[in-house]
Amino acid sequence: MFLEPQFRGQRSGWIEVICGSMFSGKTEELIRRLKRAKIANQRVEIFKPQIDRRYSESMVVSHDANSIHSTSIAHSNELIALSEGVTVVGIDEAQFFDEDLPENCQKLALRGLRVIIAGLDMDFRGKPFGPIPQLLAVAEYITKVHAICPHCGNLAVHSYRLTANEETVMLGEKDLYEPRCRTCFHLGSVLDPQSGKTDGH
Ligand code: ZN
């Protein structure tokens, strides 16, 4: 489990990234860290891209409904002004942010803030997703969380899309995606429920 670093002398900021596939508990881990900071009376702000409208406009909502308040923003440049006087900034669904997110997170960290970013590290094709690779490169701390593959029980690192739609950004829940391990991801549609080839397993 991730433990916050201890300070000696003046506090400096840093960047944490929580990444992994869908259903791996990224948002739950983000909320766990933010809630502990709030209990310590640190001022916490949470941001997410406006593209994610699955749930309420003003809440970070994890899949188990363990939620805390957040602000939707259109561009990562808005982080700078909105984080005045804040100690800890949480960013959810970071893969959907613009390419300036890594630079803006570094500005916040230089200002002394703790920046905690949660996001998908790979899209449904298995390719690095949006600004996440750059964030992984500049972060002090990286936590990769995993789902469990429903086909074989191995650790799942992929978000497999259960439809033929080729758009990179497609929001949805269990009807559209499932977590898969490396092997089952590469087996592809053979394992899809509608293929009928998994009957009897
Ligand atoms: Zn598998």
Side-chain angles (χ1 to χ4, degrees):
M1 183 182 291
F2 180 83
L3 291 175
E4 288 77 1
Q6 296 186 334
F7 303 114
R8 285 170 191 267
Q10 192 179 354
R11 176 193 169 108
S12 65
W14 70 89
I15 297 173
E16 302 164 28
V17 176
I18 304 160
C19 66
S21 69
M22 294 181 74
F23 314 109
S24 62
K26 296 182 300 298
T27 301
E28 289 84 350
E29 175 62 14
L30 175 67
I31 289 171
R32 185 188 74 83
R33 296 184 193 184
L34 294 172
K35 282 192 167 170
R36 293 169 72 246
K38 276 179 108 167
I39 289 167
N41 294 317
Q42 296 175 357
R43 191 169 155 209
V44 175
E45 290 287 338
I46 306 120
F47 301 98
K48 61 179 184 173
Q50 272 175 1
I51 194 168
D52 186 9
R53 295 173 192 275
R54 269 178 294 178
Y55 303 102
S56 137
E57 279 293 300
S58 62
M59 302 283 280
V60 162
V61 184
S62 70
H63 303 281
D64 67 357
N66 179 13
S67 65
I68 42 179
H69 183 265
S70 81
T71 307
S72 293
I73 57 174
H75 194 279
S76 66
N77 289 343
E78 296 174 55
L79 287 169
I80 305 301
L82 291 170
S83 300
E84 287 290 340
V86 173
T87 311
V88 184
V89 165
I91 297 169
D92 198 20
E93 302 284 4
Q95 74 277 0
F96 294 136
F97 268 106
D98 52 275
E99 62 185 13
D100 294 331
L101 182 64
E103 189 186 336
N104 283 317
C105 288
Q106 291 190 89
K107 284 180 185 169
L108 296 179
L110 267 177
R111 205 195 264 174
L113 277 72
R114 175 185 180 191
V115 184
I116 315 174
I117 299 149
L120 288 167
D121 46 10
M122 288 187 275
D123 66 17
F124 76 99
R125 300 181 190 88
K127 303 297 183 198
F129 208 150
I132 300 293
Q134 283 72 26
L135 286 163
L136 290 171
V138 300
E140 274 86 350
Y141 305 100
I142 298 166
T143 303
K144 184 148 180 166
V145 287
H146 303 92
I148 294 173
C149 179
H151 300 285
C152 69
N154 282 304
L155 283 183
V157 294
H158 286 288
S159 306
Y160 180 79
R161 184 179 286 179
L162 293 163
T163 98
N165 191 314
E166 287 293 312
E167 287 176 48
T168 300
V169 176
M170 207 174 127
L171 302 175
E173 288 303 316
K174 284 202 166 162
D175 51 333
L176 289 177
Y177 297 93
E178 69 180 14
R180 287 197 182 180
C181 73
R182 184 180 294 276
T183 302
C184 294
F185 179 77
H186 284 282
L187 284 171
S189 60
V190 172
L191 298 172
D192 286 5
Q194 64 267 33
S195 76
K197 293 175 185 171
T198 53
D199 290 354
H201 291 275

